[in-house]
């Protein structure tokens, strides 16, 4: 099933200059970038994006962190993209994420965990429009869809 997923390289990932490595890993797997930009997330965007966590004790810290510096926002597309990306991203807590995953290789904490990716189609439908308008998404049609 062809799917899209929203990916954010969080401020720690961008500032540690990991964006290229992360994008490379996702592209190597066979996922296609269909939208990409730097975004300074506003408090309003952050509260909407993380609304499922609004009653959690870490909610205010989460909003403060994601709004602190720019993020790389991307939509990637591919077969089972949501599950495929979540597997590549690894467990939420970097100290527990498996080696070889993005968080497993680059993060040792639960808050500065490098990357966010949609965890379901419902999440993508909620998060995607917070970061991208429909006219900023370019359906993948480079002519090599059958390489993978
Ligand atoms: P993310 O995938 O962006 O989605 C919610 C975020 O909450 C998660 O990554 C973590 O970075 C962050 N977070 C901070 N503290 C906690 C916690 N105690 N439990 C779960 N998530 C946390």
């Amino acid at each position: 099933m062809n799917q899209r997923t929203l990916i954010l390289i969080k401020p720690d990932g961008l500032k540690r200059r990991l964006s290229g490595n992360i994008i490379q890993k996702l592209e190597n797997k066979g996922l296609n970038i269909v939208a990409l930009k730097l975004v300074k997330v506003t408090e309003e965007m952050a509260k909407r994006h993380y609304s499922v966590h609004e009653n959690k004790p870490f909610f205010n810290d989460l909003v403060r962190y994601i709004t602190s510096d720019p993020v790389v926002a991307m939509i990637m597309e591919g077969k089972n993209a949501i599950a495929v990306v979540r597997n590549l991203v690894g467990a939420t807590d970097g100290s527990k994420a498996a080696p070889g995953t993005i968080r497993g290789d680059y993060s040792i904490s639960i808050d500065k965990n490098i990357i966010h990716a949609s965890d379901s189609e419902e999440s993508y439908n909620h998060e995607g429009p917070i970061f991208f308008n429909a006219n900023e998404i370019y359906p993948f049609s480079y002519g090599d869809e059958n390489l993978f």
Side-chain angles (χ1 to χ4, degrees):
M1 179 179 43
N2 210 42
Q3 278 181 331
R4 289 178 179 174
T5 185
L6 179 83
I7 297 165
L8 304 177
I9 301 176
K10 297 183 182 183
D12 51 320
L14 183 61
K15 288 193 280 191
R16 288 174 56 194
R17 305 180 181 87
L18 294 171
S19 306
N21 286 339
I22 291 168
I23 292 170
Q24 185 72 78
K25 196 173 185 96
L26 297 168
E27 286 193 322
N28 283 350
K29 182 69 178 172
L31 295 155
N32 302 313
I33 298 169
V34 296
L36 185 149
K37 62 185 172 186
L38 281 186
V39 182
K40 182 76 161 60
V41 181
T42 65
E43 192 175 322
E44 193 248 327
M45 288 168 76
K47 286 181 172 167
R48 273 172 63 205
H49 175 71
Y50 281 131
S51 58
V52 292
H53 297 298
E54 66 190 350
N55 296 318
K56 307 266 174 66
F58 56 84
F59 181 68
N60 288 341
D61 288 341
L62 194 54
V63 169
R64 196 172 306 120
Y65 185 63
I66 203 75
T67 58
S68 64
D69 278 300
V71 303
V72 177
M74 296 186 279
I75 295 176
M76 295 192 91
E77 187 176 83
K79 188 174 171 189
N80 294 324
I82 292 172
V84 165
V85 172
R86 293 283 293 185
N87 279 335
L88 290 172
V89 163
T92 304
D93 185 343
S95 72
K96 296 180 183 148
T101 64
I102 293 166
R103 288 172 175 158
D105 285 351
Y106 297 126
S107 166
I108 199 163
S109 74
I110 199 166
D111 49 348
K112 294 192 176 63
N113 63 356
I114 304 282
I115 185 167
H116 168 88
S118 306
D119 64 6
S120 63
E121 288 207 21
E122 188 188 357
S123 298
Y124 172 72
N125 292 335
H126 171 73
E127 298 165 358
I130 296 171
F131 288 87
F132 292 98
N133 296 318
N135 66 4
E136 295 177 292
I137 303 171
Y138 295 89
F140 188 76
S141 59
Y142 304 164
D144 60 355
E145 291 88 342
N146 298 322
L147 286 175
F148 294 91

